[in-house]
Amino acid sequence: MVRVLSGIQPSGALHLGNYIGALRQWVAFQDEYDAFYCIVDLHALTLEGDPAERRDRAFEAACNLLATGLDPTRCTLFCQSHVPEHTRLTWLLECTATMGELNRMTQFKDKSRRHEAVRVGLFTYPVLMAADILLYDAGAVPVGDDQRQHLELTREVAQRFNNRYGEVFTIPEAVIPTVGARVMDLQHPERKMSKSVESPLGTVNVLDPPEQIEHKVKRAVTDTDGEMRYDPDAKPGLATLLDLMAVATGRRPQEVAQDYGRYGDLKRDLAAALVELLEPIQKRYAEFADDRGAVERVLAAGAEHAHEVAQATYARAAAAIGLLPPA
Ligand code: TYM
């Protein structure tokens, strides 16, 4: 059975971009693959955060993922920091990747522009991500479009390591959805919906109450010509709404456009569709959040299983690169 691995940062509330771009695929892949899903709390350290809040966020992310439909009997759900091989393999890969490669990463360029005193970890972030993937011999990695470049880097570094030291790593493929791979911000349709960008009105969170979802959709930026057609370049705001409606109803955005005359009607129906889509997740979230012990047990069992797999891969890589094995 092909192994799948993916990860999510617990750096803020999960939003529709995460859900549509990645989590829906995670849930679907549980039956077809040997699936490993990771709350990447080490990645979240690359930007400023309050320690107590970090812990809460990681727990909330676990509740959120379970509520979305991850089932610990069908997948391995764990916290990255609970499996020490992630940082251990990162070092071997940092001694394989080059500065030039990391300098080309557009997410680094973008995030480092927005912060002063850029942390070294933000620069080496993609190498930790490569370690996440390679430790589990993942053949497939379900992600949104924004992770495409990181996946390419992972493949290059893995190939270089294999060429130099022998066949240690499986070369992974990114699995990016055809619709919803890049969900845009409702207020700034030229940029992706994101946890870190300060655009609360443009970001629909998975746990937003119905009134907030309605408010955000109603206030979404469109255009003034009032013409209903799907044209992401010329009409990015409207295209975002049509994309979301297409995902919520399982149709194509062009078909959705044919059903509507006025933007207001589309917004009304989209808000209702999103409320319906998210309501069951919100109900289950409340149940998991109330049962902290059960969620912690899921993470503990997940880490134990992940550790077994990761240990074996790390040992293979350490031996291949020429580290003296402990006696
Ligand atoms: P993160 O935490 O930013 O996002 C988690 C997943 O959600 C997808 N995503 C989106 N998809 C569509 N539209 C959007 N607006 C949108 N925003 C986010 C992301 O593509 C991602 O799939 N570096 C990763 C986390 C990571 C990882 C890994 C992923 C660490 N190690 C190993 C895969 C494999 C990240 O920051 O995702």
Side-chain angles (χ1 to χ4, degrees):
M1 208 179 198
V2 174
R3 177 97 32 83
V4 143
L5 176 125
S6 200
I8 185 161
Q9 291 198 64
S11 49
L14 263 67
H15 54 74
L16 269 184
N18 299 135
Y19 178 67
I20 292 170
L23 302 183
R24 284 187 318 152
Q25 283 69 244
W26 293 21
V27 172
F29 282 9
Q30 293 180 107
D31 294 320
E32 296 166 46
Y33 296 94
D34 181 16
F36 282 64
Y37 298 125
C38 183
I39 297 165
V40 294
D41 51 352
L42 297 173
H43 276 110
L45 301 181
T46 54
L47 297 177
E48 186 48 44
D50 170 68
E53 219 169 86
R54 287 192 200 283
R55 275 188 288 274
D56 289 346
R57 293 282 195 204
F59 176 76
E60 286 160 16
C63 296
N64 231 315
L65 294 175
L66 292 167
T68 305
L70 293 192
D71 171 359
T73 65
R74 290 185 291 146
C75 74
T76 302
L77 174 63
F78 66 104
C79 236
Q80 187 186 36
S81 66
H82 296 177
V83 181
E85 282 73 19
H86 288 251
T87 42
R88 297 180 78 191
L89 184 62
T90 296
W91 182 252
L92 306 194
L93 299 179
E94 279 180 13
C95 296
T96 305
T98 66
M99 295 287 286
E101 277 170 330
L102 294 186
N103 262 324
R104 281 198 290 278
M105 295 293 113
T106 54
Q107 283 215 349
F108 172 72
K109 288 188 207 168
D110 183 42
K111 284 188 185 170
S112 58
R113 244 197 312 272
R114 286 191 267 122
H115 296 91
E116 288 178 9
V118 173
R119 296 170 187 195
V120 177
L122 190 65
F123 184 64
T124 58
Y125 177 115
V127 187
L128 177 58
M129 180 164 162
D132 298 340
I133 297 167
L134 299 178
L135 273 177
Y136 299 94
D137 287 321
V141 183
V143 282
D145 183 66
D146 60 341
Q147 299 301 319
R148 200 183 282 275
Q149 197 187 28
H150 289 160
L151 256 295
E152 275 161 22
L153 177 81
T154 301
R155 288 166 57 86
E156 273 165 35
V157 171
Q159 257 146 5
R160 186 172 315 139
F161 193 101
N162 284 356
N163 289 342
R164 177 76 182 79
Y165 304 115
E167 291 297 313
V168 170
F169 298 125
T170 301
I171 309 300
E173 300 272 352
V175 183
I176 297 173
T178 42
V179 183
R182 198 170 187 83
V183 176
M184 307 311 270
D185 186 292
L186 297 187
Q187 288 297 310
H188 304 276
E190 71 290 349
R191 69 186 190 209
K192 64 170 186 173
M193 193 178 280
S194 144
K195 288 182 257 198
S196 46
V197 170
E198 278 306 306
S199 177
L201 204 56
T203 307
V204 176
N205 295 315
V206 171
L207 298 181
D208 277 347
E211 325 70 80
Q212 252 183 52
I213 296 175
E214 281 154 17
H215 180 63
K216 287 175 181 177
V217 172
K218 201 167 165 191
R219 296 282 302 276
V221 166
T222 47
D223 51 63
T224 48
D225 74 20
E227 196 190 327
M228 182 66 73
R229 73 190 150 81
Y230 184 65
D231 185 343
D233 292 328
K235 297 161 79 71
L238 181 64
T240 298
L241 301 178
L242 292 168
D243 276 337
L244 289 175
M245 192 64 177
V247 167
T249 55
R251 295 158 69 224
R252 293 176 52 241
Q254 293 84 348
E255 288 167 2
V256 176
Q258 282 168 7
D259 287 355
Y260 287 94
R262 295 180 20 222
Y263 295 174
D265 295 339
L266 170 66
K267 285 182 168 181
R268 183 201 57 220
D269 287 0
L270 173 60
L274 292 178
V275 168
E276 199 182 311
L277 183 75
L278 299 178
E279 217 167 31
I281 300 178
Q282 299 181 353
K283 281 211 178 95
R284 286 196 299 267
Y285 177 90
E287 290 162 18
F288 285 114
D290 273 349
D291 196 351
R292 193 170 185 106
V295 175
E296 284 170 354
R297 282 193 292 282
V298 166
L299 293 179
E304 196 180 328
H305 183 213
H307 190 216
E308 280 166 23
V309 178
Q311 235 173 348
T313 316
Y314 176 78
R316 230 163 53 216
I321 207 170
L323 298 179
L324 181 67

